[in-house]
Amino acid sequence: DVKPISGQVLYPSKLAPKIEEWRGQNLPKEFDPLASMSRHAKANGMELLISLNAFSEGHALFKRGPGYEKPDWQTVIYEPRLIISDTNDKNDKVWAQLNPKINTMPTGDEVSSFTDSSRIQNPDDRIFAVTLDRRNRVVDGFEFGGVGRGVPTIPQGGTALVGRGRGATFLRSRAIPGRPITFETAPQFLPISERPEQQFPLITNPNHPEVRQYGLGIVEEIMRNYPVDGIVYDDRLRYGGLNADFSPLTTSLFEKHVGKKLLWPDDVFRYTISPRLERGIRPGPYFDAWMAWRAQVMQGWVDLVGTTVRSIRP
């Protein structure tokens, strides 16, 4: 494994930073493990295949890797912001931030969803609660969240909403008994390093020309300097998730591919959210085309690398 997810490499490179320390273990700067492994493998008649992590250029746990130094390389993630809204007046849509954790009291100006009324605690005058039936229609409202005056009884199949600050103001003014509350998401687009829930690899944008040139340069560097017998892409030969990449560069390339200006992200997909905070997706008219195009990008990259490797060492 000569290029782990940190984006650092084990050999002295003119392109990538060399790994010198990992969890207290040191790799001497002058030592080249790949040269040593190649020499001993050949001396013993063994084939040597090397592993590369294709589009990972950083490790989120240790905040290391060239992807942190080049934030424009990072893949852009489509993250859903959870909200509730009152859509009864189409000309006056009002919404409030929804806490992404179920059965957890709000700490700021947000609204929390509860399926367990015993978890509604710590009342104060900034809290207001409402109960919803299984169709998300408002049943009743409770000052102080109902705590101290009897915890709200959640209707069967329904939920309770507890708001604090501006969230409480929204519920007091917009949660009218008999009217529905809408649970929905608002899109936000973030570099992967700013994503609330981090995955370990810092995935870059496979469509970025500098990312592609850099990755190809590492392949060329290895093939010209070491007698290896093959390259394996060990995972990370992928996008950063179903919700990547939504950068302006990638969206423009996909629009060029389909020959049409699109509404982002709805024409591809939109996240949905239930009162119990169960996430789903609503595919748009270009969802299938988007998935197929992303696969073609990866296939094209593998073809390019294969052609490059064989042109250097047939």
Side-chain angles (χ1 to χ4, degrees):
D1 188 4
V2 300
K3 181 179 178 286
I5 65 174
S6 66
Q8 300 163 302
V9 295
L10 265 69
Y11 65 93
S13 170
K14 295 181 179 180
L15 301 173
K18 184 175 184 287
I19 188 169
E20 297 180 16
E21 183 273 332
W22 190 256
R23 292 186 173 181
Q25 300 297 314
N26 295 311
L27 181 67
K29 189 173 183 178
E30 66 279 3
F31 177 55
D32 183 349
L34 183 53
S36 179
M37 184 69 79
S38 301
R39 182 171 62 255
H40 287 290
K42 293 303 174 185
N44 288 275
M46 299 171 65
E47 288 189 341
L48 178 62
L49 308 181
I50 60 165
S51 170
L52 305 173
N53 283 265
F55 295 113
S56 180
E57 299 298 342
H59 197 302
L61 196 61
F62 301 97
K63 298 295 185 291
R64 294 182 186 175
Y68 287 102
E69 301 166 8
K70 297 181 179 293
D72 61 308
W73 283 15
Q74 296 178 23
T75 190
V76 173
I77 302 293
Y78 160 32
E79 283 287 307
R81 183 171 58 177
L82 311 186
I83 63 174
I84 57 172
S85 64
D86 170 22
T87 55
N88 290 280
D89 185 350
K90 294 182 180 180
N91 297 320
D92 183 28
K93 180 178 178 178
V94 180
W95 59 272
Q97 185 87 12
L98 186 62
N99 184 346
K101 296 183 179 180
I102 193 81
N103 293 319
T104 305
M105 290 295 290
T107 56
D109 292 324
E110 60 188 7
V111 174
S112 293
S113 182
F114 286 80
T115 56
D116 181 357
S117 59
S118 68
R119 303 287 294 275
I120 301 174
Q121 301 171 349
N122 304 320
D124 62 53
D125 58 4
R126 295 177 297 166
I127 289 178
F128 188 79
V130 299
T131 50
L132 306 180
D133 64 17
R134 64 174 65 244
R135 295 183 179 179
N136 300 336
R137 293 176 303 190
V138 178
V139 177
D140 204 353
F142 304 84
E143 291 289 348
F144 298 92
V147 179
R149 303 182 183 184
V151 174
T153 300
I154 298 176
Q156 186 175 5
T159 53
L161 297 178
V162 178
R164 182 187 296 273
R166 286 195 292 267
T169 300
F170 170 86
L171 293 178
R172 284 193 186 99
S173 61
R174 311 300 293 201
I176 309 301
R179 292 199 338 198
I181 291 293
T182 301
F183 290 75
E184 57 183 316
T185 66
Q188 50 184 344
F189 304 103
L190 305 170
I192 192 170
S193 62
E194 298 177 17
R195 185 186 187 192
E197 296 181 3
Q198 295 288 320
Q199 54 177 295
F200 286 147
L202 187 80
I203 301 294
T204 53
N205 180 2
N207 299 294
H208 197 300
E210 291 182 11
V211 170
R212 295 171 68 87
Q213 182 180 5
Y214 178 77
L216 201 62
I218 289 177
V219 169
E220 292 176 343
E221 183 177 62
I222 292 172
M223 297 307 296
R224 293 188 188 282
N225 294 310
Y226 300 95
V228 300
D229 298 291
I231 288 178
V232 175
Y233 278 126
D234 182 17
D235 200 358
R236 269 62 73 175
L237 183 67
R238 58 176 175 84
Y239 282 84
L242 178 67
N243 54 344
D245 175 89
F246 282 78
S247 67
L249 169 64
T250 298
T251 56
S252 65
L253 289 173
F254 183 64
E255 287 178 337
K256 183 178 180 180
H257 172 72
V258 299
K260 182 181 178 181
K261 189 74 174 175
L262 301 181
L263 176 64
W264 294 94
D266 293 43
D267 278 348
V268 172
F269 76 89
R270 191 177 187 91
Y271 282 105
T272 61
I273 189 71
S274 76
R276 295 172 177 265
L277 304 190
E278 299 162 331
R279 294 192 187 188
I281 64 168
R282 183 183 299 117
Y286 288 89
F287 180 79
D288 288 348
W290 170 253
M291 298 299 288
W293 179 74
R294 297 194 334 158
Q296 290 171 7
V297 169
M298 289 300 157
Q299 185 180 45
W301 169 256
V302 172
D303 289 344
L304 176 61
V305 171
T307 299
T308 301
V309 166
R310 285 185 285 274
S311 70
I312 298 172
R313 301 193 53 216

